[in-house]
Amino acid sequence: MELRKKSLLSLFSIVTAFIVGLLVLQSSSKYVRLDLTEQGLFSLSEGTHNIIGQLNSPVKLTFFYSDKATADLVQFRAYAQRVKDLLQEYSNLGKDRIQLNIIDPEPFSEDEDLAVEFGLQGVPVQAGGEDAYFGLAAVSSDGNKAIIPFFQPSRESFLEYEITQLLYRVNRPNLPTLGVVTYLDVAGGYNMRTGQPTKSWMVFDQLESLFQIEYLDIDTLVNPPNVDVLLMVQPDQLPNQAIYAIDQFIVKGGHAVIFQDPYFEMGAMNPMSMRNPEAAWSLEPLYKHWGVDIPNQQAVVDKALAMVVSVGGNRPPMRHGGLISVEPDWMNTQDVAASNLEKVTFAASGYLKHSNESRGVQQPSSLTFEPLITTSNQVGLKPITAFKGLKDPSVLYEELEASDQPFVLAARLFGTFTSSFERRPDPEKVSEEEGLDSAEADESKEKEPIVYDEHVAEGTEAQVLLVADVDVLTDRMWVEVQEIFGQRVAAPWADNGAFVANALENMSGNTDLISIRSRGQYTRPFLVVEALQQRAEERFLENERRLREQLNETEAQLVALQGQQGEAESLVLTPEQKAALEAFQQEKVKIRKELREVRRELDKDIDELHQRLKLINISSMPIVVTILMLFTAFFRRRRRGMIQ
């Protein structure tokens, strides 16, 4: 009896100590937690630590959250609590550098007026209900301001990045300048074919929060542009003076990012933006001098990284070797531009070649070519004509010669650049016959003459990042854009935008934001199931191709047999024709059975995997509890024997 009392007293003491410990831990360090996620999704990254440590002046964060207006929205409130917890961690980390205030802006209150004054966005979360505020305002002691108008739950994976970016902006009010060289309507324009205005590309909308964007006039560019970073998107039809200005910008230590695509698929939908496939790149003289070649007549087809697309009709989804999704296994994750990315998608991408002697031009020994993103080993090349009007992706695999080595899709070129020009080219003059009337000619004479910079043959250290695709920038390849309450809201499903921002931020000198841009996906893919599906689809595609070949052969045989008959007998099937048709029908039924068997085996493998996982999930906890109970019983029995 005495032993039982002691056991109960010991158990009560353990439980009491556990509860007291939890209370003490909660009161002393409310936000201490153990992050067991693979990519540390719930922990502040090193980049956030660095940016907070670099704050020049204290920052006041005011979190506006309509708590009463969202009382019935369970999921919304759960995300709001996630934001609150993260903001509190910022406050704990920043100590005296960050002051956090949380305000519930009730309707027609001074707090609501303050939210509106900051520029926060009120959203009617319920029909006929009050506007709800869910945003953040940052004000430094120097008077600099920055806001997050509304936290979108669909952008939860970018939550830490958006908050840290807010601190970065308020600490550095003067954004770096990004010079853009392109003839494409990346900032929005007008589609001559449809007669409708076009939206700006989302990647450029997002870059507006990181850079002061300046779209350069190519026709008047004669000197190196006064920008921090130069972004060139399909730089075609450039005048010689502009090419020289770009050359001098890089030679003098300027950083540039170039997207050059042999077949711009989105451009195929708009003939006004299509390049002449026979023409060489405008920047070909620079590429040659750098020892880099971007073939303009071929695109890559990758079997292993092919994306699954719908082809319509009764046919199942198929893998499109021209649309590829590159994962970290084929990225240089040690480079800041490709770090922490889950996948980057490309469409009919070209590739980069590098050698000490490219097309007969010796590469300067001071330049280093470092691949960033490559294809897999199961890859080949197709002429760009194979992608025009493509409706059946399976034809890309026909007669595809596989390469033993991956192709480079994106690379960094760095070192001391030398000019590809021996001197400044002569100014290009425009006569009256070329477009200037007499009045415009007189006006041009009155303008001050252009003062040209001195030619530099060899400069300082510089970097150029080359990407052999432009579709990678378009919305369809990485993001879903929706109009919500008059605002364009982006829900990324790939990291193309993050890759571009990483590269440009790195070129502008900031690397802290890069480390926190992509913190991983909150929903994890079923890799084993995807592998099973890919194997089954490969078998399905092989059988389908065999069926198509047999169909073509049979039709050719029928045509040949009918050609031997007279015109009067052409409507009557001969015994040979009947035999051929019956054989074809039997073979067709046989192959269809094989296709159904492939699908059945796929479903069977996935069902077996599902059952195994269910068994593990259901039985694991009872097994663990049983083992603990047996261990406890054994320990008690042993202890009782020792006492007796």
Side-chain angles (χ1 to χ4, degrees):
M1 192 70 178
E2 186 68 22
L3 181 61
R4 180 176 297 178
K5 289 182 179 181
K6 289 183 178 181
S7 299
L8 292 175
L9 182 61
S10 299
L11 179 61
F12 177 77
S13 300
I14 293 174
V15 173
T16 303
F18 180 73
I19 295 175
V20 171
L22 287 178
L23 294 175
V24 171
L25 181 62
Q26 186 176 16
S27 61
S28 61
S29 184
K30 183 177 180 180
Y31 295 94
V32 171
R33 62 188 178 189
L34 181 62
D35 189 353
L36 298 178
T37 58
E38 180 182 354
Q39 297 176 330
L41 299 177
F42 299 94
S43 302
L44 293 181
S45 65
E46 182 180 355
T48 296
H49 285 247
N50 294 338
I51 288 179
I52 291 178
Q54 296 168 3
L55 291 177
N56 298 325
S57 59
V59 177
K60 180 180 179 180
L61 293 178
T62 305
F63 177 47
F64 292 88
Y65 171 60
S66 300
D67 186 69
K68 294 181 181 179
T70 59
D72 299 329
L73 304 177
V74 179
Q75 294 182 346
F76 195 85
R77 294 179 67 85
Y79 183 53
Q81 187 60 48
R82 161 96 170 104
V83 176
K84 286 181 182 178
D85 292 344
L86 194 61
L87 287 174
Q88 188 61 53
E89 291 195 15
Y90 276 84
S91 179
N92 294 340
L93 178 62
K95 297 181 180 178
D96 57 341
R97 287 190 176 94
I98 297 178
Q99 177 187 351
L100 176 63
N101 293 328
I102 299 177
I103 295 178
D104 181 1
E106 297 184 3
F108 308 105
S109 65
E110 293 183 358
D111 292 335
E112 185 181 31
D113 294 340
L114 181 61
V116 174
E117 182 181 348
F118 273 119
L120 268 62
Q121 179 184 356
V123 174
V125 292
Q126 292 180 337
E130 303 169 350
D131 285 351
Y133 291 87
F134 188 24
L136 183 66
V139 181
S140 69
S141 59
D142 298 333
N144 301 322
K145 298 180 181 179
I147 65 169
I148 298 177
F150 197 86
F151 287 103
Q152 297 290 344
S154 61
R155 292 180 55 83
E156 184 176 7
S157 60
F158 295 92
L159 179 58
E160 183 189 354
Y161 171 76
E162 290 182 342
I163 298 174
T164 304
Q165 183 196 40
L166 184 77
L167 295 174
Y168 177 77
R169 293 206 314 264
V170 79
N171 185 53
R172 186 185 178 188
N174 297 324
L175 298 176
T177 304
L178 174 66
V180 179
V181 174
T182 185
Y183 283 113
L184 302 178
D185 294 332
V186 298
Y190 187 79
N191 191 320
M192 299 295 292
R193 185 173 61 86
T194 62
Q196 298 293 328
T198 58
K199 299 287 187 180
S200 59
W201 298 6
M202 182 53 66
V203 68
F204 285 87
D205 284 356
Q206 294 188 352
L207 290 176
E208 289 181 353
S209 63
L210 302 174
F211 297 91
Q212 180 180 345
I213 301 180
E214 180 180 346
Y215 293 92
L216 302 177
D217 186 353
I218 306 302
D219 297 326
T220 60
L221 187 63
V222 294
N223 284 320
N226 185 23
V227 297
D228 296 291
V229 187
L230 192 60
L231 172 61
M232 289 172 274
V233 182
Q234 202 71 342
D236 293 331
Q237 305 173 15
L238 301 182
N240 205 30
Q241 290 290 338
I243 299 173
Y244 176 77
I246 294 170
D247 171 272
Q248 289 293 284
F249 173 81
I250 296 173
V251 170
K252 293 180 179 180
H255 300 328
V257 178
I258 305 175
F259 290 84
Q260 190 84 76
D261 194 341
Y263 184 69
F264 177 37
E265 286 201 341
M266 290 298 293
M269 303 177 186
N270 185 3
M272 298 297 294
S273 62
M274 281 294 292
R275 60 175 289 269
N276 181 6
E278 303 298 330
W281 305 122
S282 291
L283 298 182
E284 188 75 9
L286 275 61
Y287 298 154
K288 286 183 178 181
H289 190 73
W290 298 341
V292 176
D293 187 16
I294 309 177
N296 61 2
Q297 296 294 321
Q298 293 177 311
V300 299
V301 175
D302 196 317
K303 293 182 178 180
L305 304 180
M307 298 173 62
V308 178
V309 298
S310 176
V311 294
N314 297 324
R315 303 180 65 184
M318 303 177 63
R319 293 189 175 272
H320 192 315
L323 302 177
I324 61 177
S325 177
V326 184
E327 299 176 348
D329 290 342
W330 304 101
M331 300 181 191
N332 180 5
T333 56
Q334 302 301 316
D335 191 290
V336 291
S339 64
N340 297 324
L341 301 180
E342 291 285 335
K343 63 179 178 180
V344 179
T345 58
F346 297 81
S349 174
Y351 64 101
L352 305 172
K353 293 174 61 178
H354 171 258
S355 63
N356 289 333
E357 188 172 350
S358 177
R359 295 193 181 182
V361 179
Q362 186 68 27
Q363 178 220 4
S365 59
S366 58
L367 296 182
T368 301
F369 182 89
E370 184 177 88
L372 294 183
I373 301 178
T374 68
T375 64
S376 73
N377 292 324
Q378 302 179 38
V379 66
L381 297 174
K382 281 286 185 179
I384 59 176
T385 53
F387 296 88
K388 296 180 180 179
L390 179 65
K391 296 182 179 180
D392 185 0
S394 64
V395 301
L396 294 176
Y397 303 120
E398 297 177 358
E399 300 180 358
L400 181 67
E401 297 182 3
S403 172
D404 296 334
Q405 299 294 329
F407 290 99
V408 178
L409 304 179
R412 186 188 296 271
L413 192 67
F414 57 92
T416 302
F417 285 76
T418 59
S419 178
S420 58
F421 292 80
E422 295 182 358
R423 60 180 179 84
R424 173 182 289 278
D426 294 333
E428 296 174 338
K429 299 180 181 180
V430 181
S431 63
E432 294 184 9
E433 292 77 10
E434 293 175 322
L436 287 180
D437 56 26
S438 58
E440 290 174 337
D442 293 339
E443 182 181 352
S444 65
K445 293 179 181 178
E446 296 176 357
K447 295 181 180 179
E448 295 183 1
I450 299 175
V451 179
Y452 296 104
D453 292 348
E454 183 180 354
H455 174 72
V456 177
E458 182 175 354
T460 58
E461 187 88 7
Q463 293 194 29
V464 174
L465 196 149
L466 296 162
V467 183
D469 189 36
V470 171
D471 293 283
V472 67
L473 299 173
T474 59
D475 294 353
R476 76 181 186 105
M477 293 303 298
W478 70 280
V479 66
E480 293 182 4
V481 182
Q482 298 178 341
E483 294 280 348
I484 300 180
F485 306 110
Q487 299 289 330
R488 297 183 72 200
V489 178
W493 51 269
D495 293 325
N496 299 23
F499 168 65
V500 176
N502 283 359
L504 292 173
E505 283 178 345
N506 174 241
M507 292 294 191
S508 67
N510 175 42
T511 58
D512 290 324
L513 282 174
I514 295 175
S515 63
I516 58 176
R517 173 175 299 282
S518 301
R519 299 301 309 279
Q521 302 293 330
Y522 284 77
T523 56
R524 306 293 293 181
F526 295 96
L527 300 179
V528 177
V529 174
E530 289 182 355
L532 292 173
Q533 289 176 332
Q534 182 174 357
R535 287 196 296 269
E537 287 168 1
E538 289 176 353
R539 293 170 56 191
F540 181 88
L541 183 61
E542 180 181 353
N543 287 336
E544 187 183 44
R545 187 182 299 112
R546 180 157 56 93
L547 175 62
R548 188 187 303 111
E549 292 175 354
Q550 291 177 349
L551 176 62
N552 294 335
E553 292 176 1
T554 303
E555 289 178 345
Q557 184 178 3
L558 287 175
V559 171
L561 290 173
Q562 288 178 349
Q564 299 174 3
Q565 305 297 320
E567 295 182 359
E569 301 177 350
S570 60
L571 299 178
V572 180
L573 294 178
T574 64
E576 292 83 359
Q577 291 174 320
K578 291 181 179 180
L581 283 176
E582 290 177 359
F584 170 69
Q585 292 292 347
Q586 293 176 359
E587 184 67 17
K588 186 176 181 181
V589 171
K590 177 183 176 182
I591 294 180
R592 282 181 174 176
K593 288 182 179 180
E594 293 178 1
L595 296 178
R596 287 195 296 270
E597 186 64 25
V598 170
R599 290 292 171 179
R600 191 177 298 112
E601 289 297 325
L602 169 63
D603 295 337
K604 179 181 177 181
D605 292 342
I606 295 178
D607 289 340
E608 290 179 354
L609 177 62
H610 176 71
Q611 294 298 328
R612 290 198 299 269
L613 293 176
K614 183 184 293 186
L615 178 63
I616 294 174
N617 290 334
I618 294 176
S619 62
S620 58
M621 185 55 66
I623 291 175
V624 172
V625 172
T626 302
I627 293 175
L628 290 176
M629 291 178 63
L630 292 174
F631 178 78
T632 303
F634 172 78
F635 179 76
R636 288 180 176 177
R637 182 177 299 177
R638 183 176 179 182
R639 182 179 179 185
R640 187 180 303 170
M642 293 176 62
I643 294 176
Q644 292 178 353

